[in-house]
Amino acid sequence: MRRFKDRVVVITGAGSGIGRATARAFADAGAIVHVVDIDGGRVAEVVAELGVGGHETYGHVVDCRDPDAVEGLAAKTYERHARCDVLVNNAGVGYSAAVHEMRLADWKWVLDVNLYGVIHGIQSFVPRMIDQGGDAHIVNTASILGLMGLPTMSAYCASKHAVVGLSDALSAELAPYRIDVTAICPGIIATDIVSAARTGESMSAAKANMMGVYRRLSIAPERVARDILRAVRARQPVATTFGSSYPLLLLRKVAPRIFHSVTSFAHMRLASRGAP
Ligand SMILES: NC(=O)c1ccc[n+]([C@@H]2O[C@H](COP(=O)([O-])OP(=O)(O)OC[C@H]3O[C@@H](n4cnc5c(N)ncnc54)[C@H](O)[C@@H]3O)[C@@H](O)[C@H]2O)c1
């Protein structure tokens, strides 16, 4: 898809961070943007913000964990436009805890938003995209943590590795229907994700340190938005916005044991400096 003028774009988690920047970028490129988020206040804010530029924008308060709500979103989108050109399954949450302190409910919460949110988007939109004759694109927001793992991030990493895997499978499967799929893998991005993240007790004191590291190393969400638009134009199956996190991924590839020693050491320092 080379141009976005009058294309219908649906973005989940568009109330903040990467989703919000992506909504702005698509709107600026002339797209009709559907802003979707669980937080109604944020939806109203983004719709108002984009409306100032005269962009055709719609807001939806949807919890992507709820399959019926996502089905309702798809139904409304198709009632209005009879098509969806780009679906960005972006809503996500952060979670950090030692694995031995996690309850099953914690795993479920992370996987429900980060993985099932994506699955619900696919379930409701793909059959309709096939019926419209394709010429559509699905972007799933994964992470650099869909390509490597870090201590205390097991649930988050599991969710993002799954998103990378399912996107790769769908890239091949949906190609005959003229539906492209991209897994976008951002590195450390300056958004609310860390401040909003839930943590296990062992990590709650380290959260301030994590936020400090994030602030120092992070890059703007607009960079990810730009890379998402570029990936859709170029029909890329995987796109990355690694910034300063790239050396860590490289180390994971070339020397996994050293990578694990480095990340284990860094984690212990971060956690102990956070202790009261
Ligand atoms: N910020 C980073 O460093 C980073 C890095 C890699 C990947 N990501 C991924 O990018 C995506 C966007 O995160 P962000 O960094 O912009 O965070 P953010 O917290 O700024 O934005 C996430 C948005 O998702 C919404 N949301 C949360 N749960 C939802 C639900 N159940 N249904 C609908 N909306 C929901 C939130 O209300 C929020 O507006 C996530 O999938 C995240 O995992 C972020």
Side-chain angles (χ1 to χ4, degrees):
M1 192 179 306
R2 303 298 303 171
R3 291 179 202 289
F4 300 122
K5 177 109 184 68
D6 296 330
R7 292 287 198 164
V8 178
V9 179
V10 176
I11 307 172
T12 69
S16 170
I18 293 169
R20 187 174 186 145
T22 305
R24 155 67 59 196
F26 273 115
D28 287 346
I32 298 164
V33 177
H34 287 256
V35 173
V36 185
D37 205 282
I38 194 172
D39 183 327
R42 287 177 163 180
V43 169
E45 212 176 278
V46 178
V47 169
E49 192 181 289
L50 297 183
V52 169
H55 303 296
E56 188 177 345
T57 314
Y58 302 90
H60 308 264
V61 182
V62 170
D63 181 345
C64 69
R65 291 172 297 179
D66 177 354
D68 294 336
V70 178
E71 178 63 21
L73 170 70
K76 273 191 198 157
T77 307
Y78 277 78
E79 261 163 38
R80 186 173 287 276
H81 309 286
R83 61 183 301 109
C84 171
D85 299 299
V86 182
L87 169 68
V88 186
N89 287 311
N90 165 78
V93 288
Y95 181 76
S96 168
V99 71
H100 54 268
E101 66 180 344
M102 284 172 65
R103 299 160 307 148
L104 262 184
D106 301 321
W107 286 95
K108 194 165 163 13
W109 178 68
V110 178
L111 291 168
D112 268 353
V113 183
N114 292 4
L115 175 57
Y116 274 90
V118 174
I119 292 171
H120 296 153
I122 289 162
Q123 282 287 115
S124 293
F125 280 84
V126 166
R128 291 175 165 97
M129 283 175 165
I130 291 174
D131 286 348
Q132 80 188 26
D135 189 20
H137 200 118
I138 299 170
V139 178
N140 297 323
T141 307
S143 168
I144 193 170
L145 293 184
L147 305 170
M148 67 183 197
L150 287 181
T152 76
M153 298 296 290
S154 49
Y156 186 85
C157 289
S159 70
K160 295 303 184 179
H161 274 71
V163 170
V164 170
L166 79 82
S167 303
D168 201 43
L170 292 182
S171 276
E173 185 177 328
L174 297 179
Y177 300 101
R178 303 197 310 129
I179 301 171
D180 294 307
V181 181
T182 298
I184 176 86
C185 298
I188 298 178
I189 314 301
T191 70
D192 288 348
I193 196 160
V194 177
S195 59
R198 292 187 191 174
T199 56
E201 206 171 313
S202 69
M203 290 306 291
S204 59
K207 190 168 169 177
N209 289 335
M210 282 166 67
M211 285 171 67
V213 171
Y214 243 75
R215 258 194 304 277
R216 277 199 302 283
L217 299 179
S218 61
I219 54 180
E222 287 71 22
R223 288 261 303 270
V224 186
R226 186 195 63 191
D227 290 339
I228 288 175
L229 268 68
R230 184 179 292 164
V232 175
R233 284 196 180 100
R235 305 175 60 205
Q236 280 172 256
V238 180
T240 60
T241 313
F242 291 150
S244 56
S245 358
Y246 181 62
L248 212 51
L249 182 63
L250 194 62
L251 184 63
R252 172 68 183 81
K253 277 190 181 151
V254 299
R257 284 182 60 170
I258 297 175
F259 166 82
H260 287 134
S261 302
V262 168
T263 54
S264 172
F265 176 75
H267 160 65
M268 282 191 307
R269 279 208 52 183
L270 198 69
S272 65
R273 275 196 294 146

